[in-house]
Amino acid sequence: MKLIAIDSSGLVASVAITEDDNLIAEYNVQYKKTHSQTLLPMLDELKKMVELDLESVDAIAISKGPGSFTGLRIGSATAKGLSQALNIPIVEIGTLEGMACNLYGSNRLIVPMMDARRSQVYTAIFGYEYENGKYVLKRYLDECAIDVKELTDRVNEISKENDMEVIFLGDGLPVYENEIDTYVSANYIKAPSHMNRQRAAAFSYLAIEKFNNGEYVKCEDHAPDYLRLSQAERERNEGIRNKGSNY
């Protein structure tokens, strides 16, 4: 099967093309331009380079969230446009799960961190277990948006309970590096640069297995999973509450 994977959930714009178990091409950019300016030109460039016939593509994989509200909307619109035009399904991959896949087979707790502002991160805690000839991702903490101090407490607790060291990754790590260094008592390392951001290739690996298991949706059924309200929605709700307090 052939699959196009797209990620625009964070600072990186990433597109990959895979055929069965082979990564045919991948294009990653993390430099100034907005995703609306980069995603489709990146895909078009890859298409030309590998002489891809879009009619031969079986599915579109997309990072469904959490992440940047604008980035997720751009990625979602791109995936839905391709899905509708080519009449193929969408395979949804959790952003944090896709990031954890960068560290496939690690024997450490994997903690992706995406900066969610207001001293919060989008995060989860994963670990790999070897089952039936392959590594399977296990969740120790489900995807959530939490304060950094709360995350460090959970990391310390889960690391101690499972006697596992920790590896951090994501764009939230440099933002909250001081907090990590101050509050994490577990032994930990930080993922190197080629592993610490979203990569469409990792999303495509997960998407092929999901597709083969029938885990995909129609174009009209796909929607990003933001995990929390947008800033505009929060401000509106706060304004409503403040207005109500005057009565």
Side-chain angles (χ1 to χ4, degrees):
M1 69 163 293
K2 290 183 182 178
L3 180 141
I4 295 172
I6 297 169
D7 176 78
S8 59
S9 59
L11 299 175
V12 179
S14 185
V15 179
I17 299 170
T18 56
E19 183 172 4
D20 298 324
D21 292 330
N22 297 315
L23 175 63
I24 305 300
E26 184 183 21
Y27 195 157
N28 301 314
V29 174
Q30 184 180 322
Y31 186 76
K32 294 184 179 179
K33 291 183 179 179
T34 63
H35 298 323
S36 59
Q37 296 175 290
T38 54
L39 275 182
L40 286 176
M42 288 164 61
L43 176 57
D44 186 57
E45 185 69 21
L46 288 187
K47 172 182 170 293
K48 292 175 182 176
M49 291 182 70
V50 303
E51 300 177 343
L52 175 68
D53 177 7
L54 289 177
E55 296 296 330
S56 69
V57 177
D58 297 290
I60 303 294
I62 182 68
S63 53
K64 66 176 182 178
S68 156
F69 284 76
T70 301
L72 289 175
R73 284 193 288 267
I74 292 170
S76 177
T78 303
K80 293 182 79 164
L82 290 168
S83 171
Q84 186 173 41
L86 301 174
N87 193 28
I88 55 178
I90 293 175
V91 184
E92 301 173 319
I93 305 295
T95 308
L96 299 165
E97 180 184 2
M99 293 173 68
C101 189
N102 288 353
L103 301 166
Y104 178 87
S106 174
N107 61 357
R108 293 179 168 88
L109 291 175
I110 302 169
V111 186
M113 299 172 56
M114 300 179 68
D115 184 17
R117 310 293 175 86
R118 295 191 170 193
S119 297
Q120 287 194 330
V121 289
Y122 299 119
T123 191
I125 299 178
F126 301 96
Y128 276 100
E129 293 185 350
Y130 193 71
E131 297 179 4
N132 301 320
K134 65 178 182 179
Y135 287 99
V136 178
L137 203 60
K138 174 182 177 181
R139 282 174 170 77
Y140 292 88
L141 176 67
D142 287 335
E143 290 87 342
C144 57
I146 61 174
D147 291 338
V148 176
K149 181 58 170 63
E150 182 179 352
L151 172 61
T152 60
D153 291 341
R154 296 303 303 274
V155 167
N156 290 334
E157 175 188 336
I158 294 170
S159 172
K160 185 175 181 180
E161 286 177 354
N162 295 276
D163 191 25
M164 295 175 69
E165 296 183 348
V166 180
I167 183 166
F168 290 96
L169 70 157
D171 60 49
L173 181 54
V175 178
Y176 299 108
E177 192 167 18
N178 288 338
E179 287 83 348
I180 297 298
D181 291 340
T182 300
Y183 297 117
V184 175
S185 58
N187 291 328
Y188 68 91
I189 61 173
K190 301 163 187 177
S193 59
H194 65 291
M195 294 181 176
N196 70 5
R197 294 290 191 273
Q198 294 90 318
R199 290 187 59 181
F203 287 85
S204 66
Y205 171 81
L206 295 171
I208 288 174
E209 183 173 7
K210 286 182 178 291
F211 180 85
N212 290 334
N213 291 333
E215 299 176 44
Y216 47 78
V217 299
K218 296 179 181 178
C219 168
E220 59 269 23
D221 295 328
H222 166 67
D225 181 5
Y226 299 114
L227 272 190
R228 72 178 191 185
L229 297 176
S230 68
Q231 181 177 346
E233 290 171 315
R234 291 195 304 269
E235 290 175 351
R236 182 194 64 191
N237 291 343
E238 289 171 3
I240 292 173
R241 286 196 297 269
N242 292 336
K243 183 177 180 181
S245 66
N246 293 328
Y247 291 93

